[in-house]
Amino acid sequence: MNQILKSNILARTLKSSIIALTLGFGSAALGADDSYKLGLQAYNKNDFTEAARHFEAALQKTQNDPLLWYYDALCYHHLKNWSMAKSRYKTTANSFPLTEPGRRAAAALKAIDPSFVPPKTLAAATVSAQGERQPSNTQATNEKPADSKPTASADDAALDQELAGLPDSAHFYFKKSQQGHMEVDLMVNGHPVKAIFDTGASALFYKDQLKEAGLDLNRAKAGKGTRGWAGVEVSTEVMPAQIKLGTLTRTINIKMPESSNSLSTNLIGQDFIKGYQYEIDDKGGRVDLKKKLAAKQEKLNPLYDIPIEIIAGKEFIVFTVNSQYAKAFIDTGASNTIFDAFSAARFGAVPTGEVVHMSGVGGDLTMKRAYVNIRIGGMYRDNFPILIGGSGACALGQDLMEGWKYKVDRENKLLRFFH
């Protein structure tokens, strides 16, 4: 089948697909203004030229909504403006791979441009609620990309060798901030530094804060950019550093943005606990770490042992929101539970009108409050407040897990609640 015929067939099927999406998220572009609404009205009348004009106007004001990019791409697709359609599809697919518009954009672009390589997994760019969007390789390095990449078995062997020199178990304590973050005191190359324990991040420390703590950063080298909920890429440098948190001391590569603002906080997460299971006692303010190999199989309870899927170092679980199935990652660095606009609309989460301002890696952003019913196995949260917004993905924050004692059992791939 030639490419033109493929694109024509795809164009004929777009209408039914779009109707389904419109029913699914309707006015889900919660940050959109009148331009977005006017664009939808024109789009539903098949006036794609007018719709694209309005969507382009909306994109001049915000670039963080995957729905805007996707609808704009669909307009150009219908208009057979292939260069613009490809450009908008590519932005949607690469910038918002965790969202439904991002996935659909990747599929549409692949159909009209076979050379396009979509993100390898849902975690091609995952997001920490505190603000860090990480690439699939969560371990930063000081080396330039080599011609040949190490195999998974080589990575596993290196991790096993490192773990052999680390204790079978360790622990550390945390304090809850007023915003609900898990604040920890740690040592970076022998200097005291404050951070947030954030399982949605790797290891991110601001250069100005490290310099103020007395660290020598001369070994730092240019690293990959990172993104936060605001969707803005921030350049970083990387260097190896010895981190001591509680009873565990470990040398890892840390990412370092240039400077912070008054609300920016250092993050310590997956790179530090890699190879360990972690158990969080929210009431006791303690995190226990145990090597996977040292863990023992226990009897399972389907109400309190929830399967997890580990993607790029993050733990995703399936649960229900307003009786509909949902998928999100567990983020200890998020004080709030956050849903992207598309997911929130799909679950029938209606904004109350209350606006919440947040700040993280990449800048400030505005969220909207809504209330939903959440069930995780035998655990319930009714009329639970969530925030809607950001550049994609759903994260289960500390407000949802507050008061519960739970363990992330990576060996058996379970989120286990104590009851």
Side-chain angles (χ1 to χ4, degrees), residues 105-387:
L109 182 54
K110 187 67 176 177
I112 61 176
D113 182 8
S115 66
F116 171 67
V117 180
K120 292 181 179 179
T121 69
L122 289 178
T126 52
V127 183
S128 152
Q130 177 61 19
E132 184 189 6
R133 180 194 294 268
Q134 324 179 72
S136 296
N137 179 12
T138 58
Q139 181 73 25
T141 68
N142 285 335
E143 301 177 357
K144 294 181 180 179
D147 292 335
S148 60
K149 297 182 180 179
T151 62
S153 59
D155 290 339
D156 292 341
L159 176 60
D160 290 343
Q161 183 177 4
E162 181 197 10
L163 288 173
L166 297 176
D168 287 344
S169 61
H171 68 271
F172 61 87
Y173 293 92
F174 64 88
K175 294 181 179 179
K176 280 293 189 71
S177 69
Q178 291 183 345
Q179 293 77 30
H181 294 127
M182 299 170 64
E183 296 181 337
V184 296
D185 293 307
L186 47 77
M187 304 290 285
V188 181
N189 289 346
H191 297 269
V193 174
K194 292 186 177 297
I196 288 174
F197 178 58
D198 182 355
T199 56
S202 53
L204 185 142
F205 293 82
Y206 289 92
K207 289 181 65 177
D208 56 349
Q209 295 186 32
L210 294 180
K211 290 178 180 178
E212 185 177 349
L215 272 81
D216 179 3
L217 306 183
N218 288 329
R219 297 177 62 189
K221 297 182 179 181
K224 296 181 179 180
T226 188
R227 295 174 184 263
W229 285 105
V232 179
E233 183 168 299
V234 176
S235 60
T236 68
E237 293 185 354
V238 295
M239 78 171 192
Q242 184 187 74
I243 308 292
K244 183 180 188 302
L245 175 55
T247 61
L248 180 62
T249 300
R250 190 172 195 176
T251 298
I252 60 175
N253 289 302
I254 61 174
K255 299 178 183 178
M256 299 180 295
E258 184 63 35
S259 60
S260 58
N261 58 41
S262 60
L263 297 177
S264 300
T265 310
N266 302 314
L267 308 175
I268 186 70
Q270 291 293 342
D271 283 1
F272 184 73
I273 63 172
K274 194 172 185 179
Y276 284 89
Q277 298 176 13
Y278 62 91
E279 179 180 311
I280 297 178
D281 182 352
D282 189 75
K283 289 184 178 180
R286 173 168 165 151
V287 176
D288 283 278
L289 304 174
K290 183 182 293 186
K291 283 183 184 177
K292 297 179 185 179
L293 297 178
K296 296 181 180 180
Q297 176 70 45
E298 302 175 32
K299 293 183 179 180
L300 303 183
N301 184 326
L303 288 179
Y304 301 102
D305 296 317
I306 313 303
I308 63 174
E309 180 182 3
I310 300 175
I311 303 176
K314 288 184 173 64
E315 301 91 7
F316 284 78
I317 66 168
V318 174
F319 58 105
T320 63
V321 180
N322 293 341
S323 300
Q324 299 185 64
Y325 284 106
K327 188 174 185 178
F329 66 92
I330 305 164
D331 194 345
T332 62
S335 57
N336 299 99
T337 294
I338 300 175
F339 286 4
D340 65 87
F342 174 82
S343 298
R346 183 164 65 87
F347 302 140
V350 180
T352 62
E354 180 184 357
V355 172
V356 178
H357 300 285
M358 298 179 63
S359 180
V361 176
D364 301 331
L365 67 160
T366 300
M367 300 283 196
K368 295 190 176 184
R369 179 87 67 188
Y371 291 84
V372 297
N373 296 326
I374 293 178
R375 176 181 176 180
I376 305 175
M379 316 299 284
Y380 295 84
R381 297 287 198 202
D382 291 332
N383 199 31
F384 182 77
I386 64 168
L387 297 182

Side-chain angles (χ1 to χ4, degrees), residues 71-90:
Y71 267 127
D72 203 31
L74 292 177
C75 288
Y76 289 118
H77 192 128
H78 279 291
L79 295 170
K80 294 183 171 53
N81 185 336
W82 302 119
S83 61
M84 285 297 293
K86 290 177 183 179
S87 174
R88 293 299 188 247
Y89 278 140
K90 187 173 183 179

